[in-house]
Amino acid sequence: MTPTAAAAPAGPAVQASPSQTLSRGIRALEIMAAAPGPMTIAELADAMGVHRSVAYRILRTLEDHSLLVRDDAGRVQPGPGLAVLARGVSRNLQSAALPELTQLANSLDMTAFIAVWDHHDCITLVTVEPRHSGATVAQHPGTRHPINAGAPGIAIQSALSEEEWDRLSTGTPYRPEAAEARRKGYSASHDEVIAGVSSLAAPIRVPGGRPAALAVVYIRSAHDPETVGAAIAESAARIERQLA
């Protein structure tokens, strides 16, 4: 009788090692997204901390997917494939928010945007500037700032109680202003992210996901902040109903 081999003892699960090539490709996209303009391959390689030949191989792969492109001078810049990917990020939230952002921007003469929570930061997802205004604050999609600074971060915190926030172990303290925003329905900040700029924001509770914020930014306004805050909170509530 042939003996049966004993089963190997169960050991700790082996964690898959991250892909260095994938990580470098993502890093290249992050560098290009933050760059003020096109970069040479040498500049991209230096920013990535890799040899030029490595950067070139990564670039060729990203070019194949239209995520990065080169201009006539051979300089690298973001490609149209990134727009296709961005369109799918929080698609339902973007679709529900766009009409509200447009209405707020044009009625208040302020830039209106949606900010989403990413680890320790807020990232601008989609933005609308007023149609007829000569001086507005630009808030480009992809703009990032710490979640513990500014009205959007306060609004995101206010979607949770302090106890709920602490249970998430984010490493970011719950701001006292978040408790006040939780009571009022919106948050306010001034000089926190950009000097001289004010912001008002209201939380958006996303079913099955992390809370986001609907916000406006401005330098000066003839509107009463409480009136603006109430309008933002009402818009955020309408977005939530569409997402439910």
Side-chain angles (χ1 to χ4, degrees):
M1 181 175 174
T2 304
T4 303
V14 177
Q15 185 176 4
S17 59
S19 168
Q20 184 182 59
T21 301
L22 177 59
S23 179
R24 284 174 170 172
I26 293 172
R27 180 62 184 145
L29 294 175
E30 291 174 339
I31 290 169
M32 290 309 313
M39 301 174 67
T40 66
I41 296 177
E43 289 170 339
L44 179 59
D46 287 344
M48 294 174 62
V50 299
H51 190 271
R52 181 172 175 172
S53 62
V54 175
Y56 182 75
R57 289 197 299 270
I58 292 171
L59 170 60
R60 288 295 302 272
T61 301
L62 296 174
E63 279 185 305
D64 288 343
H65 296 275
S66 298
L67 299 176
L68 292 180
V69 296
R70 279 180 281 182
D71 61 18
D72 293 341
R75 294 172 301 183
V76 186
Q77 57 188 320
L82 289 175
V84 177
L85 295 179
R87 188 177 60 194
V89 177
S90 301
R91 188 191 305 272
N92 292 341
L93 177 57
Q94 290 195 57
S95 297
L98 192 56
E100 297 293 337
L101 293 175
T102 302
Q103 191 277 330
L104 286 171
N106 290 324
S107 63
L108 299 173
D109 284 330
M110 300 176 182
T111 299
F113 64 98
I114 296 293
V116 295
W117 177 13
D118 178 50
H119 299 288
H120 300 291
D121 294 334
C122 290
I123 297 180
T124 299
L125 178 66
V126 59
T127 183
V128 174
E129 295 184 11
R131 187 178 299 111
H132 304 294
S133 182
T136 57
V137 181
Q139 185 76 20
H140 301 295
T143 300
R144 180 187 293 267
H145 71 266
I147 197 168
N148 61 352
I154 297 171
I156 288 172
Q157 285 191 326
S158 75
L160 304 168
S161 67
E162 185 170 3
E163 292 74 20
E164 290 171 328
W165 181 264
D166 289 343
R167 282 199 296 270
L168 293 175
S169 300
T170 64
T172 302
Y174 192 80
R175 290 187 56 167
E177 294 89 345
E180 176 67 8
R182 189 172 173 84
R183 182 185 66 81
K184 295 174 65 175
Y186 67 91
S187 59
S189 68
H190 178 70
D191 270 345
E192 289 199 18
V193 177
I194 303 174
V197 172
S198 298
S199 179
L200 295 164
I204 300 174
R205 295 162 183 84
V206 179
R210 289 184 166 189
L214 186 161
V216 297
V217 287
Y218 59 96
I219 298 175
R220 291 180 299 275
S221 174
H223 299 282
D224 175 59
E226 291 189 5
T227 302
V228 176
I232 294 170
E234 290 171 3
S235 289
R238 286 192 290 268
I239 293 171
E240 287 183 353
R241 288 196 291 271
Q242 291 191 57
L243 296 174

